[in-house]
Amino acid sequence: MTAGDLDRLVEIAEGLEQAPHWPRLAYEAVLDPASPRRIALVAESLGVLFGFAMARLTPPQAELETIAVTAEFQRRGVARKLFTDLADELRLADVHEILLEVRASNHPARAFYRSLGFAAAGQRPRYYADPVEDAVLMRLGLRPPGRVGLEG
Ligand SMILES: CC(C)(COP(=O)(O)OP(=O)(O)OC[C@H]1O[C@@H](n2cnc3c(N)ncnc32)[C@H](O)[C@@H]1OP(=O)(O)O)[C@@H](O)C(=O)NCCC(=O)NCCS
């Protein structure tokens, strides 16, 4: 992810009801070298950006903050590929566990995370605002680099 991607990232997130709607300034802050360490990847073809994923690193843990794919490119394996590439980078950064929060009603995202091996690890009541809703916490263990596959 580069500064040139930011307008499109905001546009993609705004176009998806369930994606986190960060203001552009928040994405700009991510690119600031003084900000917490993150890995942010984009999915792009022929100059068109249609998905992105972003994780914040606190090794041995990381938080998957966002993963989003434009509606017309969904169900084609784009998010799975983004996540697989992100997980490879996280392993190299000594991350052994990925955590995330997802709206309880976001069934497509929950199904997506389960398909990657994430398991529910708790609930945060009334975690989200507008509308108020519980968050489901999910967790995935990562094997260190050099070993094949994901761990439960
Ligand atoms: C969740 C999201 C990122 C998935 O992106 P995607 O590119 O469509 O996902 P993939 O095509 O890689 O799907 C991989 C697997 O996840 C599961 N999956 C993905 N979308 C699903 C859906 N709508 N319903 C049920 N299962 C789903 C399936 O098992 C799928 O494999 P299959 O297509 O072979 O059955 C996308 O729906 C999205 O951008 N949603 C809006 C933003 C959002 O909610 N992000 C998560 C919170 S930050």
Side-chain angles (χ1 to χ4, degrees):
M1 183 176 117
T2 65
D5 296 328
L6 294 189
D7 287 338
R8 179 67 180 144
L9 254 59
V10 173
E11 186 181 41
I12 290 174
E14 291 298 324
L16 294 166
E17 195 185 335
Q18 295 284 11
H21 295 154
W22 290 17
R24 194 180 194 285
L25 273 177
Y27 289 109
E28 282 172 16
V30 165
L31 295 176
D32 183 338
S35 79
R37 192 170 164 212
R38 286 184 168 88
I39 293 175
L41 301 179
V42 297
E44 187 176 23
S45 176
L46 303 174
V48 178
L49 200 159
F50 47 85
F52 67 100
M54 195 159 66
R56 179 174 170 162
L57 279 67
T58 48
Q61 292 185 329
E63 182 186 354
L64 181 59
E65 295 178 307
T66 311
I67 187 159
V69 173
T70 57
E72 61 272 33
F73 281 92
Q74 289 181 8
R75 295 310 287 267
R76 299 191 195 182
V78 173
R80 187 192 292 126
K81 171 80 169 84
L82 273 170
F83 179 80
T84 304
D85 290 351
L86 187 67
D88 287 347
E89 300 270 347
L90 292 176
R91 280 191 198 90
L92 292 173
D94 290 325
V95 168
H96 303 153
E97 181 178 45
I98 306 177
L99 301 165
L100 61 85
E101 289 118 14
V102 58
R103 277 188 183 269
S105 65
N106 192 351
H107 296 291
R110 290 175 66 181
F112 168 67
Y113 294 135
R114 278 196 303 274
S115 80
L116 299 173
F118 279 86
Q123 192 112 353
R124 287 198 169 146
R126 302 173 65 79
Y127 179 79
Y128 293 104
D130 199 19
V132 172
E133 189 177 353
D134 294 356
V136 176
L137 306 182
M138 300 185 86
R139 168 194 183 275
L140 176 72
L142 287 183
R143 290 182 197 278
R147 293 204 227 159
V148 177
L150 303 169
E151 231 167 45

